Amino acid sequence: MSRESVCVKYDVTRLVLVGLVSGLRSQLGVAAVALTTGPGETARPASWFAGVWGKRVASAGAVGELVADKLPWTPSRLTPAGIASRMAFGGFAAVALSSQERDGAPPVLAAAVGAAASAVGTVAGAYWRRTVAEAGRPDWPAALLEDAAALLLAYTAVGHTDAARSAVATAAGTASGAVSGAVSGALSPSHGRG
């Protein structure tokens, strides 16, 4: 028996990316998978997002977080609950993404990769925001750049499909409008939480 027939290789790049996204913005990885799940998807858990309600709930969570992240009273993502929830979302997003692929990684592997990448994204995002704050710069531009990085990673993770382009454009437009309109008065220019 050859080594090739025994050793199965999985491309975990997309799973790492969707995990990183969930570390930066916990709801965004799941929303990216949801918005690019086709209506005929039957594999679980991706099939949960095949209908309009799955997409709406996931999108509302992501947009809500994109807005809430800019508010001065939002707790640090580095609390045990913050890290654990981001790891859970990262693991779930990776399992859902992998379930869409015919030869996707096993759910346990996908969850582990997504959760680990989410932990890295969580710490990296907090470090970025803290570094900007310690330099005496306002937090909100750093938060918007982090949003942009998360959206770009999400786009890359879910693939370069028409659905991905549309989903990212919609999320970016909605988040931009919500942040500039509804949250502008609540932004704290020198608040650096991480």
Side-chain angles (χ1 to χ4, degrees):
M1 189 179 282
S2 72
R3 179 173 171 86
E4 291 176 13
S5 63
V6 174
C7 181
V8 178
K9 293 184 180 179
Y10 302 101
D11 181 7
V12 297
T13 306
R14 292 172 12 124
L15 306 180
V16 169
L17 292 174
V18 81
L20 286 170
V21 167
S22 296
L24 297 174
R25 297 288 177 265
S26 65
Q27 310 281 323
L28 188 57
V30 173
V33 174
L35 290 171
T36 57
T37 298
E41 182 64 59
T42 58
R44 290 194 187 267
S47 64
W48 298 341
F49 304 121
V52 68
W53 283 105
K55 293 177 187 329
R56 285 182 181 169
V57 168
S59 298
V63 170
E65 185 182 9
L66 287 168
V67 172
D69 176 69
K70 313 313 176 279
L71 302 175
W73 54 80
T74 302
S76 171
R77 70 183 88 190
L78 296 178
T79 64
I83 294 170
S85 65
R86 288 168 186 268
M87 289 178 71
F89 278 113
F92 179 71
V95 170
L97 182 61
S98 183
S99 74
Q100 294 178 347
E101 299 173 358
R102 194 182 69 163
D103 295 324
V108 172
L109 175 62
V113 169
S118 181
V120 171
T122 299
V123 173
Y127 178 78
W128 158 249
R129 299 277 288 277
R130 185 176 59 243
T131 300
V132 169
E134 288 173 355
R137 298 224 159 84
D139 181 59
W140 66 269
L144 292 176
L145 284 172
E146 187 180 1
D147 289 345
L151 287 165
L152 179 62
L153 288 171
Y155 171 76
T156 304
V158 297
H160 303 296
T161 64
D162 290 337
R165 281 192 282 279
S166 174
V168 170
T170 300
T174 303
S176 174
V179 169
S180 64
V183 184
S184 62
L187 292 177
S188 176
S190 62
H191 189 71
R193 292 179 327 282

